Amino acid sequence: MDEQTDEALMARVAGGDRAAFGVLAERHAGAVVRLATHILRNRAEAEDVAQDALLRVWTNAPRWKPVARFRTWLTRIVVNLCLDRKRRAPWLPLDTAGEIADPRLDAATRYESDQDERRLAAAISGLPARQRAAIALTYGEGLSHADAAGILDTSVSAIETLLSRAKDNLRRALDP
């Protein structure tokens, strides 16, 4: 069954085939979590979004029409769920209670080794949600501008503008 296209599996899912849904879920779960993590910057929330997205695939399967590729449709669901979460009042993460010291590395070594990564993550987190989504789709997921535009329900030129603004914002945030 793994050789079947996503669209063929989705047609079977529409008929209630749990095995076909399992193949689709296994095939796309990792990418869904990665994309949601890029946008939300929180792995736990990303996993919740992934679960919700796959639940929506199952419940909306009978109404799905193959006008777009399955992956495009699923990615759009994920992006919309992420953007909806970003619009809600933010929850304070459990991390705000404080970090448990890593016994393997001292704080100075850990700080030095992660400094660039933290600065970039902070700069990306400071971007508006649609700019983060455009960055995640094009650079994180490797989608074309056309596919990203379809997922974000906008034009290719709007994606290019979002990416340009995001890069400008990142340059300003990371400029020493």
Side-chain angles (χ1 to χ4, degrees):
M1 186 178 339
D2 285 346
E3 303 84 37
Q4 289 188 343
T5 66
D6 293 339
E7 290 72 21
L9 288 169
M10 195 58 189
R12 292 180 54 197
V13 171
D17 186 337
R18 290 175 187 245
F21 176 74
V23 171
L24 274 176
E26 186 175 324
R27 190 179 285 177
H28 295 283
V32 166
V33 171
R34 274 193 316 276
L35 173 60
T37 302
H38 283 301
I39 296 171
L40 297 172
R41 308 304 304 164
N42 182 313
R43 177 72 181 205
E45 275 192 83
E47 289 173 354
D48 287 347
V49 164
Q51 203 169 34
D52 195 13
L54 292 172
L55 177 62
R56 288 181 187 213
V57 166
W58 176 256
T59 57
N60 293 315
R63 293 188 299 274
W64 181 72
K65 300 207 181 342
V67 289
R69 291 184 351 208
F70 171 77
R71 179 176 174 175
T72 303
W73 180 65
L74 176 60
T75 303
R76 182 162 188 170
I77 291 171
V78 172
V79 169
N80 287 341
L81 288 170
C82 288
L83 293 177
D84 287 347
R85 278 193 182 240
K86 295 305 284 182
R87 287 184 197 111
R88 282 192 242 148
W91 289 79
L92 290 177
L94 188 56
D95 300 341
T96 58
E99 286 188 14
I100 298 172
D102 186 354
R104 294 171 288 173
L105 298 174
D106 67 326
T109 305
R110 193 171 64 236
Y111 177 80
E112 289 173 15
S113 67
D114 295 341
Q115 184 176 11
D116 288 341
E117 187 175 322
R118 283 193 307 261
R119 286 184 63 222
L120 180 59
I124 290 173
S125 293
L127 293 174
R130 288 184 60 83
Q131 288 180 14
R132 268 197 322 277
I135 292 273
L137 290 170
T138 55
Y139 295 111
E141 294 300 311
L143 295 179
S144 69
H145 290 186
D147 285 344
I151 290 165
L152 291 176
D153 196 26
T154 191
S155 66
V156 171
S157 63
I159 288 294
E160 291 169 351
T161 300
L162 285 169
L163 290 171
S164 177
R165 288 179 181 164
K167 289 176 190 176
D168 288 344
N169 288 335
L170 289 174
R171 275 189 209 100
R172 278 192 295 275
L174 297 172
D175 193 24

